[in-house]
Amino acid sequence: MTRAAPPDPTSWLAPLHRAHPLVGKIWDTRAGRFVDAATVDAALGEARYVLLGETHDNPDHHRLQAERVRALTASGRRPALAFEMLDTSQQARVDETRARAPTDPDALAQAVDWAHSGWPDWSLYRPLFAVALERGLPLVAANLPRAQVRALVQKGPDALPPETRGRLGLDAPVPEDVARELREEMRASHCGHLPESLLEPMALAQRARDATLADRLLATAPDAGGVLIAGAGHARTDRGVPAWLQRRAPGARVASLAFVEVSDALRAPPDESFPYDYVWFTPAAEREDPCASLRK
């Protein structure tokens, strides 16, 4: 068994659980063993599509993502870098700004009004955009626009044109176990306060977002492939973006790496059913309890 070197606690940015025994270690889920960063980077380099799943407000996740992109492009490979944080309606602004200010990531932030986007502070994501501009990577706005997400929740599949539903595969029946898991995920992510009538519509919207992220990778990635920056839920191999990619491009190699915050309850690496190819354990960020206001 190969074990990662003990991490230097001072190198971490997130403050919680830095001394946790799993922090800094990388787990190969399929092989059931710890591996080092070089092994992971080599595996990601062999994949056409790479998923880097994050917790959005954890600065260590973005630092490690940027390092993986640097490693992937060190030999001259130029994959597309796609972002959940940018939706398809913003692609024109991304392209125009890049043509006007090709080396300035802050110009991109201004063009897409990141400060009012609802995503965590730009400083967390800036290193990723800086790497993309430095290495000349195509930048892809990959998410479904929020207006379309709202329409899906309100109107169901008919909110999308038939051609779009067909291309994304949203008309295909969903296995009951997958549908049930998605409903439970929606319930948990809304702290148990989501009305029962909204569980299925919200699950549909989540499926549509996963399908759109996969569609954008398939449509925009050059021969060098693509890398998706997204929340860890989208990087799940069982029903997230990797599953949609495998469905539409069954011969393509897909690799999923999730950066996972440790906790007091997480004392051992997961078994082979954990839905990622690799898991990189990090300290946890401090944040307010997202359910506190709902409990009131």
Side-chain angles (χ1 to χ4, degrees), residues 108-249:
L108 281 171
Q110 291 181 329
V112 300
D113 195 19
W114 189 283
H116 299 98
S117 67
W119 292 104
D121 194 81
W122 168 246
S123 63
L124 297 182
Y125 287 89
R126 190 183 189 280
L128 280 159
F129 285 90
V131 172
L133 297 183
E134 174 190 323
R135 297 291 168 91
L137 309 184
L139 279 173
V140 178
N143 206 355
L144 195 66
R146 289 174 181 172
Q148 287 186 279
V149 172
R150 288 194 296 270
L152 277 169
V153 172
Q154 294 168 358
K155 302 176 183 178
D158 290 342
L160 296 178
E163 182 277 329
T164 302
R165 294 201 309 270
R167 187 182 76 253
L168 296 181
L170 293 176
D171 288 332
V174 182
E176 179 50 37
D177 59 333
V178 173
R180 182 174 58 254
E181 288 175 3
L182 273 172
R183 289 194 297 270
E184 289 308 308
E185 181 181 317
M186 294 302 103
R187 190 194 309 275
S189 65
H190 291 80
C191 308
H193 289 271
L194 196 67
E196 199 72 22
S197 61
L198 283 179
L199 291 177
E200 189 60 40
M202 293 293 287
L204 169 64
Q206 180 73 359
R207 289 176 57 230
R209 293 178 68 213
D210 284 335
T212 299
L213 293 169
D215 185 65
R216 291 291 287 164
L217 279 175
L218 291 167
T220 62
D223 291 341
V227 178
L228 177 65
I229 304 299
H234 294 296
R236 294 176 62 112
T237 55
D238 54 351
R239 51 182 167 79
V241 176
W244 291 92
L245 289 170
Q246 295 285 12
R247 190 176 307 165
R248 293 184 56 188

Side-chain angles (χ1 to χ4, degrees), residues 251-273:
R253 296 191 67 171
V254 180
S256 175
L257 165 61
F259 300 97
V260 173
E261 294 183 333
V262 298
S263 67
D264 290 333
L266 178 65
R267 308 303 296 182
D271 62 25
E272 67 277 1
S273 67

Side-chain angles (χ1 to χ4, degrees), residues 12 81 157 209:
W12 297 105
L81 191 58
R209 293 178 68 213

Side-chain angles (χ1 to χ4, degrees), residues 23 34 38 95 103 105 115 130 184 219 228 244 263 279 285-286:
V23 162
F34 289 106
D95 295 342
T103 62
E184 289 308 308
L228 177 65
W244 291 92
S263 67
V279 183
E286 284 187 304

